[in-house]
Amino acid sequence: MKHLYINGQWIEGLGDERPIINPATEEIITMSKDATSEQATKAILAAKRAFNETDWSTNSAKRVSTLRQLADLVEESKYSLAEIESENTGKPLRESEIDVEDVAGCLRYYADLIEESKPFEKTMADGTVSRVVQEPIGVCGLIVPWNFPLLLGMWKLAPALAAGNAVVFKPSELTPLSILKLTELLEQTDMPKGIFNLLTGDGKVGAALVESDLVEKISFTGSSETGKRINEQCASTFKRVSLELGGKSPLVILADADIEKSAEWAAYGAFFNQGEVCVASSRILVAKEIYEEFLTKLVANVAQIKIGSPFEAHTELGALISQKHLEKVESYLLMGIEEGAHIVCGGKRLQRQGYFLEPTILSNVKQNMRIVQEEIFGPVVTIQAFEDEAEAIKLANDTKFGLAAGVLSSDVKKAKKLASSIKAGTIWINSYHTPYIEAPWGGFKQSGIGRELGPHGLLAFTETKHINESTSLETLGWYQFSH
Ligand code: NAD
């Protein structure tokens, strides 16, 4: 059971042992042993050594070709990677297959970006040539959650490696399996030993990365609570940090929107990946004129969503990640009812093995309720009616989060105006959910700091160096020296 990968070697963790569970069957897939803090230090030292002693940070052509090699290997292993991902997360196989395609796409995108990148250069008025180069930071600690283990991992890994860094990667303790398989593929590339290191384990292993003086950058995706702690720890040494955190994203449906299509997008926005998506549109805000008709349509749609094993061809909604998480989501339903909300549909577990919960719509909600303000991270959506656009904007912005939003309307001009008033890092007009590798992703307010994807995602793994170049040393004449 060698689940750690340090300096090009598979090693057994010497820490706690934990079962890795299939959430759709509750069966143990395998046992895994966490890294200890000593093993974390070994991985960090191996990364530091590889960063300093190999040509990885300076040889961009090698990085480009290695990333492309890995993309080829990912594509060749598409089905086994997708199967592993679905078995470990409970998500429908068709979704895992899309994730794996995007993983390969992300590698190719950053390989292309590095190949095409040129330093900024300008000759200044005094003849100085000003050159701005992006240099790798050094050892980067990459910490990811369980909802898209491979894809969110690659959103960090591809730009970190493309920029020339060495990395220590820590997946969620619940979902290490697809990253283990990816590591086997990485081994087959020309990447120097020690540039990629993998540590499995829980928050203690992540904390070891955050606390190490040798780790120069932390890129974290996870809850706002953990992100806050990491941000505070990094601040004491000015460690570079990027944070992709939680959300409570609104989907605003204007009175002129097509009700049938809106009801389809609203279900997709809220329940894709069992609602375990940071940008899930977990708050539906709908114009009062169409509220009743829209809700009737939405309920009819949601009742037909097919819940089941990730591997059944017709499955549209899989299992939640764990018993603990299922109980947390259910506790929010109880809390909502106690606060006065109504369960319009769903809300029950499936009577079978696995952590399955029916997609749930909560109405009769008020803005100050915890079910409206806090991230539930499951197949649960609240619905509220608004009087006019001013109220829609007020409700949309009235949480501590600012990750994403959607606006549905047949009047794109009106939707754009509304979008400009919503405080969120990503806004979809007449669509939802699709991330584009070429465009930035991240949050306003307590949804995070920094951006992933696109050129922004690459810059996040670099330091900017400005080199001022004069071709010869002239006499300065600033002081009146007498010789
Ligand atoms: P989490 O914060 O519990 O854990 C995330 C990762 O951090 C895990 O690998 C965990 O082991 C590690 N960790 C825990 N404590 C740590 C510590 N003290 N120091 C360092 N690492 C630590 O989050 P989760 O439950 O795994 O994931 C769900 C959360 O992730 C949700 O809030 C969701 O919104 C967020 N998320 C955000 C995005 C985004 O792009 N903004 C994407 C996906 C998920």
Side-chain angles (χ1 to χ4, degrees):
M1 195 211 308
K2 293 182 173 172
H3 286 171
L4 314 186
Y5 187 71
I6 299 175
N7 202 28
Q9 301 280 318
W10 287 98
I11 291 167
E12 187 170 330
L14 297 173
D16 293 344
E17 191 171 28
R18 65 179 68 246
I20 304 299
I21 308 278
N22 175 338
T25 63
E26 302 181 38
E27 283 162 5
I28 296 175
I29 307 169
T30 183
M31 298 298 291
S32 179
K33 284 177 93 179
D34 291 0
T36 58
S37 57
E38 289 76 22
Q39 289 180 310
T41 303
K42 276 192 180 149
I44 295 164
L45 285 169
K48 187 78 190 163
R49 211 168 31 245
F51 182 76
N52 288 337
E53 294 174 12
T54 71
D55 65 348
W56 184 252
S57 66
T58 51
N59 189 343
S60 64
K62 182 179 200 160
R63 302 200 300 270
V64 168
S65 67
T66 306
L67 261 57
R68 288 181 181 149
Q69 267 181 319
L70 185 58
D72 290 344
L73 291 163
V74 166
E75 278 161 0
E76 283 164 24
S77 302
K78 177 178 157 183
Y79 292 105
S80 64
L81 279 165
E83 275 171 19
I84 293 168
E85 195 75 316
S86 279
E87 189 182 23
N88 198 178
T89 60
K91 71 172 73 186
L93 188 61
R94 68 172 180 173
E95 295 180 18
S96 295
E97 285 173 3
I98 297 169
D99 289 357
V100 179
E101 284 165 17
D102 288 351
V103 161
C106 187
L107 283 160
R108 293 196 193 287
Y109 169 74
Y110 281 109
D112 292 352
L113 204 60
I114 286 293
E115 199 169 50
E116 292 156 9
S117 69
K118 287 192 186 71
F120 167 87
E121 246 183 48
K122 188 170 165 54
T123 304
M124 301 302 178
D126 64 357
T128 298
V129 176
S130 171
R131 192 160 359 97
V132 180
V133 291
Q134 300 304 135
E135 293 190 351
I137 300 174
V139 177
C140 300
L142 313 182
I143 305 172
V144 297
W146 44 259
N147 59 338
F148 294 87
L150 197 59
L151 184 61
L152 295 183
M154 194 49 77
W155 287 9
K156 298 184 188 306
L157 193 56
L161 294 174
N165 297 284
V167 307
V168 182
F169 189 102
K170 198 205 83 64
S172 163
E173 59 274 29
L174 302 177
T175 54
L177 299 185
S178 54
I179 298 293
L180 286 167
K181 173 73 184 170
L182 185 85
T183 307
E184 289 173 15
L185 302 179
L186 255 160
E187 261 192 308
Q188 298 169 40
T189 69
D190 296 330
M191 188 176 298
K193 287 187 190 351
I195 290 295
F196 173 85
N197 303 275
L198 175 72
L199 296 175
T200 57
D202 62 8
K204 289 199 286 296
V205 182
L209 297 179
V210 175
E211 285 159 16
S212 168
D213 289 339
L214 295 178
V215 174
E216 287 154 294
K217 159 98 194 187
I218 291 289
S219 181
F220 170 82
T221 300
S223 63
S224 293
E225 201 187 343
T226 312
K228 183 169 180 271
R229 188 172 329 144
I230 290 177
N231 198 31
E232 284 165 1
Q233 286 174 300
C234 290
S236 66
T237 56
F238 298 98
K239 186 173 288 183
R240 303 300 185 252
V241 64
S242 298
L243 301 167
E244 296 289 336
L245 309 176
K248 192 74 182 176
S249 302
L251 178 69
V252 182
I253 304 167
L254 299 184
D256 60 18
D258 180 296
I259 292 181
E260 188 118 347
K261 291 176 190 160
S262 298
E264 189 186 359
W265 280 99
Y268 177 64
F271 303 128
F272 175 72
N273 202 57
Q274 300 76 244
E276 296 170 323
V277 187
C278 51
V279 293
S281 58
S282 51
R283 294 187 294 136
I284 299 175
L285 306 176
V286 55
K288 70 173 192 320
E289 297 92 321
I290 59 166
Y291 178 87
E292 290 300 338
E293 197 186 337
F294 170 81
L295 183 55
T296 307
K297 187 74 215 162
L298 180 65
V299 171
N301 281 352
V302 170
Q304 292 174 58
I305 292 176
K306 294 175 192 68
I307 315 171
S309 157
F311 297 102
E312 282 160 19
H314 63 264
T315 294
E316 295 167 335
L317 194 128
L320 300 198
I321 191 67
S322 67
Q323 174 77 26
K324 194 170 151 210
H325 188 59
L326 174 61
E327 285 166 8
K328 180 186 154 196
V329 174
E330 286 176 326
S331 76
Y332 271 104
L333 299 183
L334 280 179
M335 202 187 295
I337 293 164
E338 277 164 19
E339 285 179 313
H342 298 160
I343 293 188
V344 188
C345 69
K348 291 192 289 297
R349 287 187 193 194
L350 260 52
Q351 295 307 308
R352 58 177 282 178
Q353 288 294 106
Y355 313 123
F356 294 97
L357 182 70
E358 291 171 348
T360 308
I361 303 173
L362 294 168
S363 71
N364 205 41
V365 299
K366 295 202 175 56
Q367 191 65 18
N368 62 358
M369 289 180 178
R370 285 184 63 187
I371 51 167
V372 174
Q373 291 292 330
E374 296 177 18
E375 186 181 46
I376 300 175
F377 217 58
V380 178
V381 70
T382 60
I383 181 159
Q384 289 166 276
F386 60 81
E387 286 284 333
D388 53 22
E389 282 153 36
E391 191 187 16
I393 293 166
K394 190 165 172 291
L395 294 174
N397 287 333
D398 185 18
T399 74
K400 66 182 179 186
F401 299 109
L403 193 55
V407 184
L408 310 185
S409 168
S410 55
D411 182 344
V412 176
K413 227 167 127 191
K414 208 193 281 179
K416 274 161 86 170
K417 195 156 164 272
L418 210 84
S420 69
S421 301
I422 296 178
K423 293 186 193 321
T426 300
I427 301 195
W428 288 278
I429 293 176
N430 289 328
S431 72
Y432 208 82
H433 266 319
T434 310
Y436 298 96
I437 294 166
E438 304 87 342
W441 178 275
F444 283 30
K445 302 196 281 184
Q446 293 188 30
S447 288
I449 293 177
R451 293 292 180 271
E452 295 200 308
L453 297 182
H456 294 71
L458 186 64
L459 278 177
F461 285 103
T462 63
E463 289 284 8
T464 301
K465 183 181 277 181
H466 179 189
I467 302 165
N468 299 280
E469 190 180 304
S470 298
T471 43
S472 63
L473 192 62
E474 304 296 332
T475 301
L476 179 61
W478 183 260
Y479 303 103
Q480 302 306 310
F481 300 129
S482 60
H483 295 288

